[in-house]
Amino acid sequence: MTGEWAWSILIVVGAALWFWSIRLTLRAYPGERLSMWATPRKAPGRAVAARAFGAGLAVFGVSMTSGAIDAEPWIPAVLAGAFFGLIFLAPYAISVALHNSRAA
């Protein structure tokens, strides 16, 4: 793995940290419903740090990897938006919805 594609490791690490932060947050509130769009009233510090660091790593990795796509500049931007929607937002929404359906 050489060149600009090596930055994709940051995307994988960022996504792993993001998913770990979701898991930490959901485990901190086992019987309570969580808001889909608001931070819990007392979110675990590790979860907040992992979410911030993971999102930052992923954004940086996507921005550095986008140079490997030999196309117009707007194409990597559209791909990055689709990537974040599918990799970050959809699993978060599904995880919170499943957690809320199990909560009292």
Side-chain angles (χ1 to χ4, degrees), residues 1 3-19 50-66 83-84 87-88:
M1 187 185 249
E4 295 172 341
W5 288 105
W7 291 104
S8 61
I9 293 171
L10 292 179
I11 299 170
V12 173
V13 171
L17 284 172
W18 177 268
F19 293 133
R51 187 174 306 149
F53 194 60
L57 277 178
V59 167
F60 185 66
V62 166
S63 67
M64 296 305 287
T65 305
S66 66
F83 173 79
F84 282 114
I87 300 300
F88 288 107

Side-chain angles (χ1 to χ4, degrees), residues 46-101:
R46 292 183 306 166
V48 173
R51 187 174 306 149
F53 194 60
L57 277 178
V59 167
F60 185 66
V62 166
S63 67
M64 296 305 287
T65 305
S66 66
I69 301 172
D70 189 23
E72 294 293 323
W74 61 271
I75 294 175
V78 170
L79 292 175
F83 173 79
F84 282 114
L86 293 174
I87 300 300
F88 288 107
L89 299 179
Y92 176 76
I94 292 168
S95 298
V96 172
L98 288 174
H99 173 80
N100 287 342
S101 69

